[in-house]
């Protein structure tokens, strides 16, 4: 068998997708005009698939801070912090994150993926157990594979199933570490965190919450689902990313554990990769201040969420179970989803195409993400275009069509 024979099925299915039109996994933004608009295939296109929840990618204070950092500190750190040392900004950002969450310590990673990979794979040792939600992000699954703990999956968002699985481990020696997400990246639903915390307490387990899609989005302070659920003190490790609400790249973990910092010389995805460049550190530090000082962005985001989620629901679309900034339009199968995605792009609307195995329960999704910077007009155009495409390909039924004004 030749080296690439293992990819033949994938090569065939990708070719079939591309044969329909533009390649959903190879889209080129020819020109980015704003957080919500780019030129794609020569056409001005509304971006509804960015995770740029607060629209901070063009925030003037972040751009100015990044520019100044490049001018004064250069373009990159050219190595990891344990080898090349930290720039002052790395430590300042960690202190700012710890303050933001009211925690003792914070640790910054080069991506959110590496934050999950590093913390989850390191924190649970060979005798320990990682008990993860079945719909966990790929970075959580990869972390489990990289680490040495025994991995157990529980049914998505099912605290009773989590309880059952922990019960079966009663009397075993190792630590039990539960891993859940604040807002799930594909369907946009939230973890039942209060119930999960109750189970955690019952079994004396630890809890990691990945707030990648909920930081900046949920809570009066923007600290995420743990803040809304009122259980922050019960979460042992919060993991997050700079690539969504904070509009840049990078990841972090915050904790109150007194020995947390030892991870800096044990956690391989922290130790053996270059640290974030000064420009990113500076822009993220500025973005964190925006999250803290401009709650009106969250208010605007949620008004936009209501416009898009409720508007699509009224048209008859099947959506993810909970209203939130990830609005997942469910389509009957991958072929229909690819067609719909292509036609939407042709009408000047970009969303994410999400297909199995990246989606839960084999669903095919047009995954939209809402931004505080979307105008009402843009969102109405998105609803209109999605509805038109759904008629054309026969996804929406006639009674739903009659409802369209
Ligand atoms: C739940 C979740 N965790 C972690 C990540 C990884 O974050 P990043 O893209 O910043 O590496 C993602 C990315 O989409 C995610 O959805």
């Amino acid at each position: 068998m030749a080296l690439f024979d293992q990819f033949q099925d994938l090569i065939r299915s990708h070719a079939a997708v591309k044969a329909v039109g533009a390649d959903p996994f190879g889209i080129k933004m020819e020109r980015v005009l704003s957080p919500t608009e780019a030129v794609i295939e020569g056409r001005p296109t509304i971006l509804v698939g960015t995770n740029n929840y607060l629209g901070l990618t063009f925030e003037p204070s972040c751009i100015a801070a990044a520019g100044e950092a490049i001018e004064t500190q250069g373009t990159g750190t050219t190595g990891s912090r344990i080898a090349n040392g930290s720039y002052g900004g790395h430590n300042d950002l960690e202190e700012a994150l710890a303050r933001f969450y009211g925690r003792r310590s914070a640790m910054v990673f080069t991506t959110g993926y590496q934050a999950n990979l590093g913390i989850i794979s390191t924190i649970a040792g060979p005798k320990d157990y990682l008990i993860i939600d079945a719909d966990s992000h790929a970075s959580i699954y990869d972390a489990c594979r990289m680490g040495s703990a025994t991995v157990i999956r529980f049914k998505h968002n099912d605290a009773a199933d989590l309880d059952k699985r922990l019960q079966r481990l009663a009397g075993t020696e190792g630590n039990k570490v539960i891993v859940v997400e604040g807002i799930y990246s594909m369907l946009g639903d939230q973890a039942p965190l209060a119930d999960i915390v109750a189970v955690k307490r019952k079994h004396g387990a630890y809890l990691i919450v990945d707030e990648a899609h909920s930081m900046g989005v949920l809570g009066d302070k923007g600290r995420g689902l743990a803040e809304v659920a009122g259980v922050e003190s019960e979460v042992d490790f919060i993991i997050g990313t700079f690539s969504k609400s904070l509009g840049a790249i990078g990841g972090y973990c915050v904790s109150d554990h007194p020995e947390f910092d030892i991870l800096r010389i044990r956690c391989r995805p922290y130790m053996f990769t270059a640290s974030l460049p000064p420009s990113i550190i500076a822009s993220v530090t500025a973005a964190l201040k925006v999250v803290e000082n401009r709650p009106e962005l969250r208010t605007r985001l949620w008004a936009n969420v209501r416009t898009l989620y409720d508007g699509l629901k009224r048209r008859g679309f099947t959506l993810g179970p909970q209203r939130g900034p990830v609005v997942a339009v469910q389509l009957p199968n991958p072929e229909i989803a690819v067609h719909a995605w292509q036609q939407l792009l042709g009408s000047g609307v970009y969303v994410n195409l999400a297909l199995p195995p990246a989606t839960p329960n084999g669903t095919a999704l047009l995954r939209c993400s809402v931004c505080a910077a979307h105008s009402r007009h843009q969102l109405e155009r998105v609803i209109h275009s999605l509805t038109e495409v759904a008629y054309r390909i026969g996804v929406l039924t006639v009674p739903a069509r009659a409802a369209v004004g």
Side-chain angles (χ1 to χ4, degrees):
M1 185 164 127
L3 193 59
F4 274 59
D5 282 358
Q6 60 183 314
F7 305 124
Q8 285 314 310
D9 285 350
L10 185 60
I11 289 168
R12 269 191 293 277
S13 63
H14 190 207
V17 166
K18 285 194 288 188
V20 179
D23 175 6
F25 311 115
I27 273 296
K28 186 170 153 203
M29 310 266 165
E30 287 141 22
R31 210 146 46 87
V32 180
L33 305 172
S34 75
T36 60
E37 219 185 351
V39 176
I40 301 176
E41 298 189 328
R43 216 179 292 112
T45 300
I46 303 173
L47 302 176
V48 204
T50 61
N51 303 318
N52 191 358
Y53 300 122
L54 300 180
L56 295 189
T57 50
F58 280 77
E59 164 62 29
S61 62
C62 298
I63 292 173
E68 195 198 325
I70 282 208
E71 290 286 341
T72 55
Q73 299 171 64
T75 51
T77 63
T78 64
S80 86
R81 288 171 68 185
I82 59 159
N84 290 25
S86 296
Y87 285 37
H90 291 117
N91 304 87
D92 294 345
L93 177 55
E94 285 172 343
E95 279 168 26
L97 278 164
R99 252 194 330 272
F100 175 73
Y101 281 101
R103 298 284 181 148
R104 185 181 179 122
S105 310
M107 195 168 155
V108 163
F109 291 77
T110 306
T111 66
Y113 178 89
Q114 285 161 298
N116 270 338
L117 203 62
I119 295 295
I120 295 168
S121 69
T122 311
I123 215 85
K127 289 191 180 142
D128 298 332
Y129 297 87
L130 284 164
I131 305 105
I132 68 168
D133 186 286
D135 283 3
S136 288
H137 186 258
S139 55
I140 295 172
Y141 274 102
D142 291 356
C144 291
R145 228 186 274 170
M146 184 173 160
S148 50
T150 302
V151 179
I152 297 169
R153 294 188 316 166
F154 66 95
K155 279 188 206 144
H156 175 54
N157 273 353
D158 188 335
D161 191 50
L162 172 65
D163 184 29
K164 197 169 73 187
R165 284 165 200 274
L166 279 163
Q167 196 63 52
R168 283 185 199 146
L169 298 176
T172 56
E173 180 189 349
N175 292 300
K176 322 296 181 302
V177 183
I178 302 163
V179 186
V180 300
E181 295 174 30
I183 292 181
Y184 281 84
S185 59
M186 284 296 143
L187 291 181
D189 48 339
Q190 299 173 14
L193 209 50
D195 297 344
I196 284 168
V197 161
V199 174
K200 170 215 145 144
R201 287 170 66 103
K202 176 175 166 193
H203 295 279
Y206 292 88
L207 176 60
I208 297 177
V209 180
D210 176 352
E211 300 262 23
H213 294 269
S214 35
M215 187 269 187
V217 164
L218 292 176
D220 286 346
K221 307 274 183 216
R223 292 202 296 253
L225 183 63
E227 184 194 344
V228 174
V231 296
E232 286 177 285
S233 61
E234 294 287 350
V235 179
D236 301 281
F237 304 93
I238 286 182
I239 292 179
T241 173
F242 302 148
S243 71
K244 304 187 194 311
S245 284
L246 297 172
I249 186 168
Y252 62 91
C253 178
V254 297
S255 174
D256 281 328
H257 201 288
E259 279 149 352
F260 184 66
D261 278 330
I262 199 65
L263 296 179
R264 293 184 197 273
I265 52 170
R266 176 49 77 87
C267 177
R268 296 168 70 87
Y270 176 87
M271 297 163 68
F272 295 108
T273 195
S275 63
L276 283 169
S279 53
I280 294 295
I281 291 288
S283 102
V284 170
T285 305
L288 190 60
K289 287 193 186 125
V290 175
V291 170
E292 284 180 300
N293 298 331
R294 289 174 48 200
E296 69 274 14
L297 287 177
R298 252 182 313 287
T299 310
R300 208 175 305 155
L301 170 67
W302 279 94
N304 284 347
V305 165
R306 277 189 291 280
T307 301
L308 188 66
Y309 188 93
D310 296 4
L312 290 173
K313 194 110 205 154
R314 270 198 303 276
R315 298 305 194 277
F317 284 102
T318 305
L319 304 178
Q322 229 168 329
R323 206 197 259 141
V326 175
V327 179
V329 178
Q330 299 184 31
L331 292 178
N333 60 52
E335 290 72 29
I336 289 178
V338 171
H339 275 281
W341 181 88
Q342 305 271 7
Q343 293 194 21
L344 257 187
L345 188 68
S347 71
V349 173
Y350 173 76
V351 301
N352 306 126
L353 175 68
L355 301 177
T359 51
N361 308 322
T363 45
L365 305 174
L366 295 182
R367 177 188 178 277
C368 306
S369 49
V370 182
C371 176
H374 279 129
S375 68
R376 193 173 176 97
H377 175 70
Q378 283 178 318
L379 294 174
E380 277 165 3
R381 259 204 59 202
V382 171
I383 295 167
H384 179 77
S385 297
L386 260 164
T387 309
E388 285 297 305
V389 166
Y391 291 158
R392 233 177 285 141
I393 60 179
V395 166
L396 278 191
T397 55
V398 174
R401 176 170 202 167
V404 175

